[in-house]
Amino acid sequence: MNTNTKWWQKSVIYEVYPRSFKDSNGDGIGDLAGLVSKLDYIQSLGVDAIWLGPVFKSPQDDNGYDISDYQDIDPLFGNLEDMKTLLREANARDIRIIVDMVLNHTSDEHPWFVEAKSGRDNPKHDWYVWRDGEPGCPPNEMRSCFGGSAWEYVPELGQYYLHQYSVKQPDLNWDNPEVRQALFDMMNWWADQGAGGFRLDVIDSVAKEPDKMITAEGTNLHKYIKEMSAAVFQGRDLVVVGECWSATPETAKLWSNPDGSELSMVFQFEHIVLDQQPGKDKWDLAPLPMAKLKKVIAKWQQELNGKGWNSLFWENHDVPRIVSRWGNDKEYREKSAKMLATILFGLQGTPYIFQGQELGMTNACYELEEYRDIEIRNIAAERLAEGYTMESIMESIHAKGRDNARTPMQWNAGENAGFTTGEPWLKINPNYTEINVEAQEADPHSVLNYYRYLVALRKREDVFVDGDYQEILTEREDVIAYSRDNGSRKLTVVTNFTGETVDFPAEILENAGEPELCNYSDWPVDGKLRPYEARMYLK
Ligand code: NOJ
């Protein structure tokens, strides 16, 4: 193994969405004390760090991605003492806490914005992005990611402010050096409290140029990120992951330059947005184009090798459950959940497990009124007004709505899945009686125990970190197979991405070395792969 390997390159990260993880006080919302009570479980997965979704003070318009105080905890989740307990207890288990930093925008209830809005002459006015205008005539056509215009009029000022997300999430003006300094000071404070790293929310949007309709990769973006790195990250042993929807392999090499001048790694979505109609948004569904998925995986693997670092993920709190999306959440739920895990964990990068993914949790299929997410509510209203049928709107929400991944964690088959003693803030997926931690702990062949094996395997073998990537059977759309080679070890990963038995050349397996892992109980080499079969070999 290369002596320059960083700890986070050998790590696996577990994402906790705090309000859905574990409630300790019966208010139906997960909290910090609940999370602390489940740290032994997280440790048992073998992961090295927790990406903790935002727990800061917030009106919760976008479940905490609208922060009104970066240095305090929202009472829903506890208080600063609880956060210190979490940091201490996690560190005692060798688990670092990655704090979710929302730096592109604040809540409109943040004192900075309240001041900014109080008058054009207020010193904080320029901390946000304003344009003069007349009511009903926004500066341009920019759209909010949650639907509608990205501009909101403030009559007292005769000005519009920019919000790339909800009206309650005004964009900060990063071109003002005071804004950058205030954010860097705050991040240094969190690092001093013992944070092990940061996840930077939509960080590629901070250097926006709204007059040119530029949101991502603005002219000054990498200058500002380098400034942040020098002010906060350098000289500290942090992991910093940037959520970058716009990243290409070229820009990812800047973001995750091994010289450490920007961040540790990118979190990019090129594979995740494939099942939508080209040029449309995620709600305009299309079948997953397998040939494209394979190309995208190969491209990122090959282009970043030695030049940058990627996050490996199928799920997070913004995207649906992978087993429902690209696997089969009915008769092959366990097999396909394991198959998808095998593909992901064989690749180069840092794998992320989103809470419940390790159980093969599935999408929820609720009535519109049962969802809580602002994005779901907005898109439903917008599309109804545009004349879409309710049926097509619900089909899109069932496939892509963010609440699919946000249903409470399924701990056991008891009341409310062991998540809360109160009324859960979002309905629990009724399949919790079958799919839950307790049941899977007891089953050596569960999805949960398969994930544990994969995490341990990655720790054991350096080839996961530094092996190069060779695709096998490039033209086939029913299998994903590849090898990774670091000169001393060779890993071969072979998967059937379908619910049918498919042909697979026996000689590839005969030459692949020792069988290491399979999601079936035997390993025949008979020129076939069974439905959703996945194998790993090491030589
Ligand atoms: C990305 C976050 O992951 C998402 O949940 C949030 O709504 C937006 N950024 C806005 O902060």
Side-chain angles (χ1 to χ4, degrees):
M1 162 98 58
N2 188 325
T3 47
N4 292 327
T5 301
K6 308 283 194 312
W7 65 268
W8 39 264
Q9 293 179 308
K10 271 205 88 121
S11 294
V12 177
I13 297 176
Y14 188 77
E15 184 193 349
V16 168
Y17 193 65
R19 62 167 48 229
S20 299
F21 194 61
K22 173 70 185 164
D23 176 23
S24 73
N25 63 358
D27 67 356
I29 299 177
D31 48 41
L32 290 173
L35 168 55
V36 169
S37 74
K38 293 293 184 187
L39 282 176
D40 288 343
Y41 169 73
I42 295 177
Q43 186 181 25
S44 80
L45 302 172
V47 302
D48 307 86
I50 293 172
W51 156 14
L52 177 69
V55 288
F56 312 104
K57 220 171 212 160
S58 158
Q60 303 290 325
D61 188 52
D62 183 20
N63 290 0
Y65 285 93
D66 48 318
I67 297 173
S68 54
D69 186 343
Y70 288 97
Q71 282 163 275
D72 204 354
I73 302 297
D74 197 277
L76 280 181
F77 301 115
N79 55 36
L80 266 180
E81 274 315 304
D82 297 319
M83 185 66 176
K84 287 182 185 161
T85 306
L86 172 65
L87 289 164
R88 195 179 56 244
E89 290 292 320
N91 290 342
R93 291 168 175 79
D94 279 333
I95 296 173
R96 313 201 194 202
I97 298 291
I98 299 173
V99 175
D100 206 330
M101 276 290 148
V102 189
L103 307 173
N104 178 68
H105 45 267
T106 66
S107 163
D108 64 339
E109 295 180 35
H110 193 294
W112 296 343
F113 188 73
V114 174
E115 276 194 51
K117 202 178 157 187
S118 69
R120 288 180 180 228
D121 297 334
N122 187 283
K124 293 269 183 328
H125 185 68
D126 184 53
W127 282 38
Y128 293 83
V129 181
W130 300 95
R131 293 292 179 269
D132 293 347
E134 300 297 323
C137 194
N140 60 28
E141 298 298 303
M142 267 179 79
R143 307 260 312 155
S144 148
C145 295
F146 292 160
S149 171
W151 296 100
E152 180 72 8
Y153 192 62
V154 179
E156 310 86 271
L157 298 176
Q159 286 187 310
Y160 283 84
Y161 68 84
L162 178 71
H163 61 92
Q164 294 189 59
Y165 295 88
S166 97
V167 189
K168 287 185 66 62
Q169 292 167 298
D171 272 59
L172 283 162
N173 175 17
W174 271 60
D175 292 331
N176 184 325
E178 288 175 19
V179 170
R180 303 199 298 278
Q181 194 55 51
L183 294 172
F184 303 161
D185 289 348
M186 175 276 291
M187 292 168 85
N188 272 316
W189 183 83
W190 274 111
D192 292 341
Q193 303 306 306
F198 298 106
R199 178 261 183 184
L200 306 179
D201 189 67
V202 292
I203 193 66
D204 54 346
S205 298
V206 296
K208 50 240 149 195
E209 296 174 32
D211 300 323
K212 297 190 201 145
M213 310 271 281
I214 294 177
T215 50
E217 291 291 336
T219 318
N220 288 322
L221 181 62
H222 292 278
K223 187 176 123 200
Y224 294 159
I225 301 302
K226 287 197 169 73
E227 197 180 304
M228 172 165 58
S229 174
V232 187
F233 314 144
Q234 287 166 30
R236 296 184 191 261
D237 186 22
L238 300 170
V239 57
V240 186
V241 49
E243 186 195 22
C244 297
W245 286 82
S246 67
T248 60
E250 280 318 305
T251 59
K253 287 178 213 167
L254 302 174
W255 286 109
S256 59
N257 192 325
D259 72 3
S261 55
E262 295 197 11
L263 315 180
S264 315
M265 66 183 102
V266 286
F267 198 94
Q268 59 76 28
F269 295 79
E270 192 173 351
H271 59 304
I272 284 293
V273 298
L274 290 173
D275 55 357
Q276 66 192 45
Q277 294 165 32
K280 299 271 192 81
D281 65 31
K282 71 178 189 182
W283 308 106
D284 296 298
L285 310 177
L288 173 66
M290 276 301 288
K292 275 202 189 145
L293 175 65
K294 291 177 67 156
K295 275 207 184 90
V296 168
I297 292 176
K299 175 175 82 177
W300 281 89
Q301 287 293 299
Q302 284 161 348
E303 294 206 25
L304 256 54
N305 188 19
K307 302 193 179 114
W309 199 254
N310 209 348
S311 304
L312 305 170
F313 72 97
W314 290 131
E315 292 185 13
N316 75 1
H317 64 283
D318 292 330
V319 301
R321 293 293 185 179
I322 196 63
V323 70
S324 301
R325 187 178 193 177
W326 294 345
N328 173 325
D329 64 7
K330 311 258 166 358
E331 65 175 309
Y332 292 119
R333 188 185 64 82
E334 288 192 20
K335 290 274 184 273
S336 62
K338 291 174 184 174
M339 179 278 289
L340 288 156
T342 312
I343 294 175
L344 197 73
F345 271 68
L347 297 172
Q348 186 177 61
T350 298
Y352 286 68
I353 303 171
F354 175 65
Q355 63 182 50
Q357 179 184 339
E358 77 278 19
L359 308 176
M361 274 179 63
T362 67
N363 278 356
C365 193
Y366 296 164
E367 302 293 327
L368 187 55
E369 337 40 274
E370 291 175 313
Y371 292 108
R372 299 284 168 263
D373 181 20
I374 181 173
E375 189 188 51
I376 292 181
R377 293 197 308 266
N378 286 0
I379 196 69
E382 190 173 303
R383 291 207 158 190
L384 268 180
E386 284 167 8
Y388 286 77
T389 63
M390 199 57 194
E391 199 189 346
S392 80
I393 295 171
M394 289 316 294
E395 194 195 348
S396 298
I397 291 173
H398 288 154
K400 296 284 182 68
R402 303 193 299 183
D403 277 349
N404 280 307
R406 298 178 179 183
T407 61
M409 183 73 177
Q410 297 169 196
W411 293 104
N412 58 44
E415 194 195 356
N416 294 325
F419 164 69
T420 180
T421 53
E423 181 67 30
W425 73 276
L426 172 66
K427 187 174 144 186
I428 294 173
N429 193 318
N431 64 20
Y432 74 90
T433 49
E434 280 158 59
I435 305 172
N436 62 65
V437 171
E438 201 173 283
Q440 297 202 19
E441 290 280 9
D443 172 7
H445 303 297
S446 61
V447 180
L448 171 61
N449 282 316
Y450 195 88
Y451 266 93
R452 286 186 170 130
Y453 192 94
L454 281 170
V455 174
L457 186 60
R458 276 191 77 100
K459 299 267 155 75
R460 202 184 82 200
E461 297 288 341
D462 292 346
V463 65
F464 286 99
V465 177
D466 55 12
D468 67 5
Y469 179 87
Q470 288 297 326
E471 195 175 353
I472 299 170
L473 300 180
T474 314
E475 300 308 321
R476 290 272 298 269
E477 298 205 359
D478 48 359
V479 302
I480 291 188
Y482 57 85
S483 63
R484 308 265 320 274
D485 194 336
N486 67 357
S488 51
R489 292 288 262 168
K490 184 170 175 185
L491 165 76
T492 302
V493 175
V494 165
T495 65
N496 174 0
F497 215 90
T498 78
E500 316 290 326
T501 296
V502 299
D503 293 333
F504 192 87
E507 58 279 12
I508 294 178
L509 302 183
E510 277 156 6
N511 293 319
E514 293 300 313
E516 178 63 44
L517 179 65
C518 181
N519 60 353
Y520 281 79
S521 54
D522 58 350
W523 306 72
V525 178
D526 57 2
K528 305 262 179 242
L529 288 178
R530 291 159 286 188
Y532 296 107
E533 182 160 358
R535 299 184 186 190
M536 273 189 182
Y537 289 78
L538 275 166
K539 183 151 96 168

Coordinates of all heavy atoms in Angstrom, one line a residue, residues 32-33 35-37 39 50 52 55 80-93 95 97:
L32 N -30.2 13.3 19.1 CA -28.8 13.0 19.4 C -28.7 11.9 20.4 O -27.9 11.0 20.3 CB -28.0 14.2 19.8 CG -27.8 15.2 18.7 CD1 -27.2 16.5 19.2 CD2 -26.9 14.7 17.6
A33 N -29.5 12.0 21.5 CA -29.4 10.9 22.5 C -29.8 9.6 21.9 O -29.2 8.5 22.3 CB -30.3 11.3 23.7
L35 N -29.3 8.6 18.8 CA -28.1 8.2 18.1 C -27.0 7.7 19.0 O -26.5 6.6 18.7 CB -27.6 9.4 17.2 CG -26.3 9.3 16.5 CD1 -26.2 8.0 15.7 CD2 -26.0 10.5 15.7
V36 N -26.8 8.4 20.1 CA -25.7 7.9 21.0 C -26.1 6.5 21.5 O -25.2 5.6 21.6 CB -25.6 8.8 22.2 CG1 -24.7 8.2 23.3 CG2 -25.0 10.2 21.7
S37 N -27.4 6.2 21.7 CA -27.8 4.9 22.2 C -27.6 3.8 21.1 O -27.6 2.6 21.5 CB -29.2 4.9 22.7 OG -30.1 4.9 21.5
L39 N -24.8 3.9 19.0 CA -23.4 3.9 18.5 C -22.8 2.5 18.5 O -22.0 2.2 17.6 CB -22.6 4.8 19.3 CG -22.7 6.3 19.0 CD1 -21.9 7.1 20.0 CD2 -22.3 6.7 17.6
I50 N -19.3 8.7 10.8 CA -20.7 9.0 10.6 C -20.9 10.3 9.9 O -20.3 11.3 10.4 CB -21.5 9.0 12.0 CG1 -21.4 7.6 12.6 CG2 -22.9 9.5 11.8 CD1 -22.0 7.6 14.0
L52 N -23.3 13.0 9.7 CA -24.4 13.4 10.6 C -25.2 14.5 9.8 O -24.7 15.6 9.7 CB -23.9 13.8 11.9 CG -25.0 14.3 12.9 CD1 -25.9 13.2 13.4 CD2 -24.3 15.0 14.1
V55 N -28.1 19.1 12.4 CA -28.8 19.1 13.7 C -28.8 20.5 14.3 O -29.2 20.7 15.4 CB -28.2 18.1 14.7 CG1 -28.4 16.7 14.3 CG2 -26.7 18.3 14.8
L80 N -26.3 21.5 22.9 CA -24.8 21.3 22.6 C -24.1 20.3 23.5 O -23.2 19.6 23.0 CB -24.2 22.7 22.9 CG -24.0 23.6 21.7 CD1 -23.3 24.9 22.1 CD2 -23.2 22.9 20.5
E81 N -24.6 20.1 24.7 CA -24.1 19.1 25.6 C -24.3 17.7 25.0 O -23.4 16.8 25.0 CB -24.7 19.1 27.0 CG -24.1 20.1 27.9 CD -22.5 20.0 27.9 OE1 -22.0 18.9 28.1 OE2 -21.9 21.0 27.7
D82 N -25.5 17.5 24.4 CA -25.7 16.2 23.7 C -24.8 16.0 22.5 O -24.3 14.9 22.2 CB -27.2 16.1 23.2 CG -28.2 16.1 24.3 OD1 -27.9 15.5 25.3 OD2 -29.2 16.8 24.2
M83 N -24.5 17.1 21.8 CA -23.6 17.0 20.7 C -22.2 16.7 21.2 O -21.5 15.8 20.6 CB -23.6 18.3 19.9 CG -22.8 18.3 18.7 SD -23.5 17.2 17.4 CE -22.4 17.5 16.1
K84 N -21.8 17.3 22.3 CA -20.4 17.0 22.8 C -20.4 15.5 23.3 O -19.4 14.8 23.1 CB -20.1 17.9 24.0 CG -19.8 19.3 23.5 CD -19.4 20.3 24.5 CE -19.2 21.7 23.9 NZ -19.3 22.7 24.9
T85 N -21.5 15.0 23.9 CA -21.5 13.6 24.3 C -21.4 12.7 23.0 O -20.6 11.7 23.0 CB -22.9 13.3 25.0 OG1 -23.0 14.2 26.0 CG2 -22.9 11.8 25.5
L86 N -22.1 13.1 22.0 CA -21.9 12.3 20.7 C -20.5 12.3 20.2 O -20.0 11.2 19.9 CB -22.9 12.8 19.6 CG -22.7 12.2 18.3 CD1 -23.1 10.7 18.3 CD2 -23.5 12.9 17.2
L87 N -19.9 13.4 20.2 CA -18.5 13.5 19.7 C -17.6 12.6 20.6 O -16.8 11.9 20.1 CB -18.0 14.9 19.7 CG -18.7 15.8 18.6 CD1 -18.4 17.3 18.9 CD2 -18.1 15.5 17.2
R88 N -17.8 12.7 21.9 CA -16.9 12.0 22.8 C -17.2 10.5 22.7 O -16.2 9.7 22.5 CB -17.2 12.5 24.2 CG -16.2 12.0 25.3 CD -16.5 12.6 26.6 NE -17.8 12.2 27.1 CZ -18.9 13.0 27.3 NH1 -18.7 14.3 27.2 NH2 -20.0 12.5 27.8
E89 N -18.4 10.1 22.7 CA -18.7 8.7 22.6 C -18.4 8.0 21.3 O -17.9 6.9 21.2 CB -20.2 8.4 22.9 CG -20.7 8.7 24.3 CD -20.1 7.7 25.3 OE1 -20.1 6.5 24.9 OE2 -19.7 8.1 26.4
A90 N -18.5 8.8 20.2 CA -18.1 8.3 18.9 C -16.6 8.2 18.8 O -16.1 7.1 18.4 CB -18.7 9.2 17.8
N91 N -15.9 9.2 19.2 CA -14.5 9.2 19.2 C -13.9 8.0 20.0 O -12.9 7.3 19.6 CB -13.8 10.5 19.6 CG -14.1 11.6 18.6 OD1 -14.4 11.3 17.4 ND2 -14.0 12.8 19.0
A92 N -14.6 7.7 21.1 CA -14.1 6.6 22.0 C -14.3 5.3 21.3 O -13.6 4.3 21.6 CB -15.0 6.6 23.3
R93 N -15.1 5.2 20.3 CA -15.3 4.0 19.5 C -14.5 4.1 18.1 O -14.8 3.3 17.2 CB -16.8 3.8 19.2 CG -17.6 3.4 20.4 CD -19.1 3.4 20.1 NE -19.9 3.0 21.2 CZ -20.2 3.7 22.3 NH1 -19.7 5.0 22.4 NH2 -20.9 3.2 23.2
I95 N -14.8 6.3 15.9 CA -15.7 6.7 14.8 C -15.7 8.2 14.8 O -15.9 8.9 15.8 CB -17.2 6.2 15.1 CG1 -17.2 4.7 15.1 CG2 -18.2 6.8 14.1 CD1 -18.6 4.1 15.5
I97 N -17.0 12.0 13.6 CA -18.3 12.6 13.2 C -18.1 13.6 12.1 O -17.3 14.6 12.3 CB -19.0 13.3 14.4 CG1 -19.3 12.2 15.5 CG2 -20.2 14.0 14.0 CD1 -20.4 11.2 15.2

